[in-house]
Amino acid sequence: MPEKKPSRKPLISGNWKMHHNHFEAIQTVQKLGYRLDKEDYELVDVSVHPPFTDIRSVQTTLESDKIPILLGAQNCYFEEKGAFTGEVSPAFLAKLNVSLVIVGHSERRELFGETDEVVNKKVKAVLRFGMTPILCVGETLAEREAGGTDEKVLGQVKAGLAGLKADQVASMVIAYEPIWAIGTGKTATSEDAQAVCGSIRATVGDLFDDPTASAVRIQYGGSVKPANIAELMAQPDIDGALVGGASLDPDEFAKIVRYRLTA
Ligand code: PGA
């Protein structure tokens, strides 16, 4: 098995989805802060992605308690300002020191009709405001069973990265999240997850170049738990995890971040 590139620092991200009000959010990051130590942050980048209404509270908590967790968002609009009732500008997120924005999560694509074109515009908007996009891609169970995993996932990668420069892609994160594994308790086997993440990296190499492919960080997501994280992280092309359910509980999430202790 090829060695994982030491240049790619693992990134473990907690996607809270529509859970935790701002009081619960403050408590959760404080508890997480108690459970993680300097060595954890040296070895792993950790981000939390609370709902928009929590972001300011989480920002002030992280900054005043000096907790080096990166602040993330779950979505944003692609325009900076204007008559877009109900949308949130990437400029507003950047102003709150948000550093990572999830783009094109399968729930956004499926429930809110986000197309590859919209996702690509959002990726560009996030980069324009100096933040890092986490571009989500993944296949449904029907697509997987029909042998269409690569076609779907690699198509989403190409569309999501269209028009970007190599250095922008090198700074990004791509999250492979098989839709059938999200919130279901089913995880792709680490071999299957590795195979798809390896194809994603090869595609980035074809679209851009080898240095870009070896720099981009690829996360796996879908029912990541303390019990399966170490095996996933041992794969050469898996550089981190996008964690939903298990990130809501600070004990569980801290165990995931400290996967090296259970390996
Ligand atoms: P899950 O969600 O860990 O609850 O499966 C992952 C995600 O949707 O990002």
Side-chain angles (χ1 to χ4, degrees):
M1 195 180 285
E3 271 297 294
K4 200 178 332 241
K5 285 264 169 195
S7 55
R8 296 196 299 265
K9 188 175 178 188
L11 169 66
I12 298 198
S13 305
N15 171 14
W16 292 356
K17 312 193 180 188
M18 203 170 74
H19 297 287
H20 288 339
N21 62 41
H22 70 289
F23 292 118
E24 294 161 336
I26 292 169
Q27 281 186 351
T28 305
V29 286
Q30 282 178 329
K31 286 185 185 163
L32 202 50
Y34 292 131
R35 285 160 179 72
L36 298 177
D37 61 27
K38 201 164 155 270
E39 196 187 354
D40 297 322
Y41 300 114
E42 274 165 13
L43 295 172
V44 178
D45 284 336
V46 183
S47 67
V48 291
H49 300 251
F52 288 131
T53 49
D54 302 358
I55 288 180
R56 174 66 176 156
S57 309
V58 172
Q59 180 210 6
T60 51
T61 307
L62 294 178
E63 289 176 6
S64 61
D65 294 1
K66 298 195 168 49
I67 303 171
I69 292 174
L70 302 167
L71 183 55
Q74 300 172 17
N75 180 30
C76 69
Y77 196 50
F78 53 76
E79 295 286 356
E80 180 180 357
K81 58 183 157 189
F84 304 108
T85 301
E87 292 295 323
V88 173
S89 164
F92 303 163
L93 297 178
K95 205 74 180 162
L96 291 165
N97 293 343
V98 164
S99 47
L100 294 143
V101 184
I102 298 171
V103 177
H105 189 278
S106 60
E107 287 151 20
R108 301 290 324 161
R109 294 178 190 258
E110 280 193 6
L111 304 173
F112 303 99
E114 288 192 13
T115 60
D116 278 337
E117 195 193 353
V118 165
V119 170
N120 178 245
K121 284 184 178 173
K122 290 187 175 190
V123 166
K124 289 174 178 158
V126 169
L127 287 164
R128 193 156 67 241
F129 288 93
M131 300 177 290
T132 302
I134 299 180
L135 167 65
C136 297
V137 296
E139 82 287 3
T140 62
L141 189 56
E143 287 161 345
R144 168 163 285 250
E145 284 172 349
T149 300
D150 275 7
E151 192 188 337
K152 171 74 177 296
V153 170
L154 303 179
Q156 287 179 328
V157 169
K158 281 181 202 151
L161 302 180
L164 297 184
K165 297 197 186 80
D167 63 325
Q168 292 179 308
V169 176
S171 74
M172 280 182 57
V173 181
I174 298 174
Y176 167 55
E177 297 206 302
I179 296 170
W180 49 270
I182 296 177
T184 57
K186 291 183 195 150
T187 328
T189 63
S190 49
E191 290 77 22
D192 281 352
Q194 162 56 31
V196 180
C197 291
S199 305
I200 291 173
R201 197 177 303 285
T203 299
V204 172
D206 293 343
L207 292 170
F208 298 91
D209 49 39
D210 286 349
T212 306
S214 58
V216 68
R217 289 193 284 184
I218 302 178
Q219 293 179 316
Y220 169 80
S223 299
V224 173
K225 305 279 182 254
N228 58 26
I229 180 72
E231 203 187 323
L232 289 161
M233 290 303 293
Q235 304 303 316
D237 288 303
I238 298 180
D239 308 313
L242 183 53
V243 186
S247 74
L248 298 173
D249 176 340
D251 284 321
E252 291 271 291
F253 192 52
K255 279 187 203 151
I256 291 173
V257 171
R258 314 185 91 193
Y259 65 91
R260 69 183 186 282
L261 304 177
T262 54

